[in-house]
């Protein structure tokens, strides 16, 4: 579907928190299929389970673009021995592992930007005030259950 087009696919590996180790073969199979179809240059690998992301990075290096989950310690403090700053291209920022709001945590955005990582958020609410504040932090993407409201707010704020 994407060959011959200027399209990037965000492959998100879904995991069950209690059984994430069982998802490792799924991650390996995804990488095998991406390689088989020649889509590495059109792929972003995403997973909110950082040990799985570390596994893929150790296996593939910077062959892919990576989107990681950043909580509490931003993109650090998950798996001993590897800092996601080494390989993350994008980071979904929230204040805690339960998906809390990143509002009031500009330091997470500053940390990502300083390391060349593009910060984005998954919003628990879609208010103009929250979106404006996050934009002021350097947020470059919004995941939302109400894309039309986000689109309206961004247009109102003068963001394309």
């Amino acid at each position: 579907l994407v060959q011959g087009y200027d399209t990037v696919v965000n492959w998100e590996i879904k995991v069950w928190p209690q059984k994430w180790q069982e998802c490792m073969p799924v991650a390996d199979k995804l990488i095998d299929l991406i390689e088989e179809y020649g889509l590495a240059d059109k792929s972003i690998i995403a997973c909110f389970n950082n040990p799985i992301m570390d596994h893929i990075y150790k296996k593939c290096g910077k062959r892919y673009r990576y989107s990681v989950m950043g909580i509490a310690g931003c993109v650090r403090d998950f798996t001993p021995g590897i800092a996601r700053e080494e390989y993350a291209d994008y980071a979904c920022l929230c204040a805690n592992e339960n998906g809390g709001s990143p509002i009031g945590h500009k330091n997470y955005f500053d940390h990502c930007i300083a390391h060349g990582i593009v910060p984005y958020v998954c919003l628990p609410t879609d208010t103009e005030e929250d979106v404006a504040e996050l934009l002021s932090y350097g947020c470059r993407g919004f995941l939302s259950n109400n894309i039309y409201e986000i689109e309206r707010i961004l247009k109102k704020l003068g963001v394309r």
Side-chain angles (χ1 to χ4, degrees), residues 115-131:
H115 287 87
I117 300 167
V118 178
Y120 67 98
V121 297
C122 182
L123 290 177
T125 61
D126 303 326
T127 68
E128 186 174 326
E129 296 78 21
D130 285 354
V131 171

Side-chain angles (χ1 to χ4, degrees), residues 43-100:
S43 295
I44 297 172
I45 307 297
C47 183
F48 286 174
N49 179 283
N50 286 319
I52 287 178
M53 295 300 291
D54 291 347
H55 167 77
I56 295 170
Y57 174 66
K58 287 175 189 174
K59 179 178 179 174
C60 302
K62 282 298 287 178
R63 181 154 171 75
Y64 298 97
R65 289 176 275 179
Y66 297 98
S67 178
V68 300
M69 176 67 137
I71 61 172
C74 196
V75 290
R76 190 179 284 282
D77 302 329
F78 296 95
T79 304
I82 193 163
R84 263 142 232 104
E85 292 91 340
E86 283 183 34
Y87 68 84
D89 299 288
Y90 308 92
C92 184
L93 301 181
C94 58
N96 62 56
E97 59 226 15
N98 297 317

